[in-house]
């Protein structure tokens, strides 16, 4: 049987296309006592021992109906890996055959990997001999080039990877010519911890794949948004949860349990902060401190309040309705989430007509922020300007109401058409 048939391939070309060669096959299977590796010596010993055993004629053996333990020999399967095979003359039993198979396969894998990484040279530990390709005709269909560069192809294959890690992968592929080795090289790079903080365990192995990390992080951010908390404020806490092997489901359950316990005590906690620190904290601020105790009360309250104001503006007016700077200005003026909700909802219904009238009478447009400042924060200057616009709009729409006929028969005032 040809070497490629023993490996389970239908042709030699297929075996070569899959990274196998007769040279590697000979080096891992054609064993001589003076040139083999430790793995090859073990296989030679097994074969020699098996061939030396005397097999009794089955016809001369009288069965005694006594159950005897199964015995095995170890052979190589069609894929080249070691497997057990029942044999009455075998030296292994159920108690020890699997352990020996695991040991032999482990040595085989290590030998193949070392040979592949070093370029497949045959200068040491090989079976000797020079490989001469077969000259028989075989059908071969060349692989068409995609026209993409290695980096472009890597981006298509791994769209979730950071650009910096794509560069590391591409360099690894150039160095080894093997995609799996390139992935291993990328994952061992220190840059992994920069892009995916907390993904690596203390022993250097990964807690999860890159895709699993991204999904877990996005899930935790979404859970925080469900409680009106800005995920950007809690970035370190998400990393800490991942580093502590906290699953997304467990993270969600912790938030739910914590929120239920805190809401029950909100009035008492609010009273303490007002009395001791003169801080009027809302529920989200207090819950946020439970999620991330490391943040100071002032910073936490400000960032949460700003995110709440932006969220209310986007709900009423659409995405990108309010900049972070504008939200910070409203927060610093004391705008609460409830006021933001009321003010921006009012702006969404009233401002279109109000701004149109202001421009028609040469007063300039009125922004959503100005409307909220006037209606919710008591800015008298803006409020007075809005009242004047409203008055002009009212006067312009009451036309016929002021018209009258003089004694002379003339009609004065405006007539509504």
């Amino acid at each position: 049987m040809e070497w490629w048939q023993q490996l389970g391939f239908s042709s030699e070309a297929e075996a070569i296309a899959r990274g196998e060669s007769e040279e590697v096959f000979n080096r891992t299977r054609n064993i001589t006592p003076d040139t083999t590796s430790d793995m090859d010596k073990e296989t030679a010993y097994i074969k020699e021992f098996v061939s030396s055993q005397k097999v009794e004629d089955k016809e001369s053996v009288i069965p005694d109906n006594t159950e005897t333990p199964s015995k095995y020999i170890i052979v190589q399967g069609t894929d080249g890996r070691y497997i057990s095979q029942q044999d009455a003359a075998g030296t292994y039993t159920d108690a020890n055959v699997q352990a020996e198979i695991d040991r032999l396969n482990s040595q085989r894998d290590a030998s193949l990997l070392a040979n592949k990484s070093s370029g497949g040279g045959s200068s040491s530990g090989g079976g000797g001999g020079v490989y001469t390709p077969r000259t028989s005709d075989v059908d071969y269909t060349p692989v068409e080039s995609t026209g993409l560069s290695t980096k472009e192809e890597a981006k298509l294959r791994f769209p979730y990877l950071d650009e910096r890690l794509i560069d590391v992968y591409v360099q690894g592929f150039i160095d080894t010519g093997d995609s799996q080795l390139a992935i291993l090289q990328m994952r061992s790079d220190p840059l992994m911890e920069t892009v995916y903080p907390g993904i690596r365990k203390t022993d250097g192995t990964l807690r999860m794949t890159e895709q699993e990390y991204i999904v877990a992080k996005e899930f935790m951010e979404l859970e925080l948004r469900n409680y009106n908390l800005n995920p950007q404020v809690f970035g370190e806490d998400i990393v800490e949860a991942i580093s502590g092997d906290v699953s997304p489901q467990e993270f969600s359950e912790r938030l739910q349990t914590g929120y239920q316990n805190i809401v029950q005590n909100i009035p008492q906690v609010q009273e303490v902060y007002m009395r001791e620190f003169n801080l009027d904290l809302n529920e989200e601020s207090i819950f946020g401190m439970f999620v991330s105790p490391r943040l100071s009360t002032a910073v936490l309250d400000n960032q949460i309040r700003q995110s709440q104001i932006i969220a209310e503006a986007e709900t009423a007016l659409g995405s990108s309705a309010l900049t972070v700077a504008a939200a910070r200005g409203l927060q610093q003026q004391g705008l609460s989430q409830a006021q933001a909700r009321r003010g921006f909802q009012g702006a969404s219904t009233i401002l279109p007509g109000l701004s149109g009238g202001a421009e028609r009478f040469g007063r300039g447009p009125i922004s959503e922020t100005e409307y909220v400042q006037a209606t919710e924060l008591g800015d008298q200057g803006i409020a007075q300007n809005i009242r004047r616009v409203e008055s002009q709009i009212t006067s312009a729409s009451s036309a016929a109401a002021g018209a009258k006929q003089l004694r002379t028969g003339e009609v004065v005032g405006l007539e509504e058409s």
Side-chain angles (χ1 to χ4, degrees), residues 248-307:
Q249 184 61 35
E250 183 180 354
F251 185 82
S252 176
E253 290 172 355
R254 289 185 181 184
L255 289 179
Q256 184 177 0
T257 302
Y259 186 76
Q260 290 173 348
N261 292 336
I262 288 174
V263 167
Q264 294 173 358
N265 300 302
I266 283 293
Q268 294 88 339
V269 176
Q270 286 177 318
E271 181 181 348
V272 170
Y273 274 102
M274 177 59 73
R275 183 180 67 249
E276 300 294 334
F277 306 105
N278 196 29
L279 291 174
D280 184 13
L281 300 180
N282 56 15
E283 292 184 5
E284 288 79 7
S285 299
I286 296 173
F287 180 57
M289 286 186 288
F290 162 79
V291 176
S292 181
R294 70 168 57 88
L295 297 178
S296 68
T297 301
V299 171
L300 181 61
D301 184 41
N302 291 346
Q303 290 180 320
I304 289 177
R305 187 72 60 79
Q306 291 170 23
S307 66

Side-chain angles (χ1 to χ4, degrees), residues 20-48:
E20 299 290 346
S21 69
E22 186 174 8
E23 180 182 5
V24 174
F25 175 83
N26 291 335
R27 198 161 53 243
T28 58
R29 291 163 180 79
N30 295 340
I31 305 168
T32 56
D34 56 340
T35 61
T36 57
S37 63
D38 290 341
M39 177 187 69
D40 298 330
K41 289 178 181 180
E42 181 67 25
T43 306
Y45 172 76
I46 294 170
K47 290 183 176 180
E48 180 181 355

Side-chain angles (χ1 to χ4, degrees), residues 175-192:
D175 293 341
T176 65
D178 187 290
S179 60
Q180 295 301 316
L181 290 177
I183 283 288
L184 293 176
Q185 182 171 314
M186 181 198 76
R187 288 176 172 171
S188 64
D189 194 283
L191 189 60
M192 276 289 292

Side-chain angles (χ1 to χ4, degrees), residues 120-142:
S122 59
S123 59
S124 62
V130 178
Y131 170 65
T132 303
R134 293 174 61 90
T135 58
S136 59
D137 294 334
V138 294
D139 293 331
Y140 173 68
T141 303

Side-chain angles (χ1 to χ4, degrees), residues 116-119 167-178 181-182 185:
K116 203 167 191 178
S117 299
S118 61
D167 292 336
V168 176
Y169 169 83
V170 169
Q171 187 58 51
F173 185 79
I174 293 173
D175 293 341
T176 65
D178 187 290
L181 290 177
Q185 182 171 314

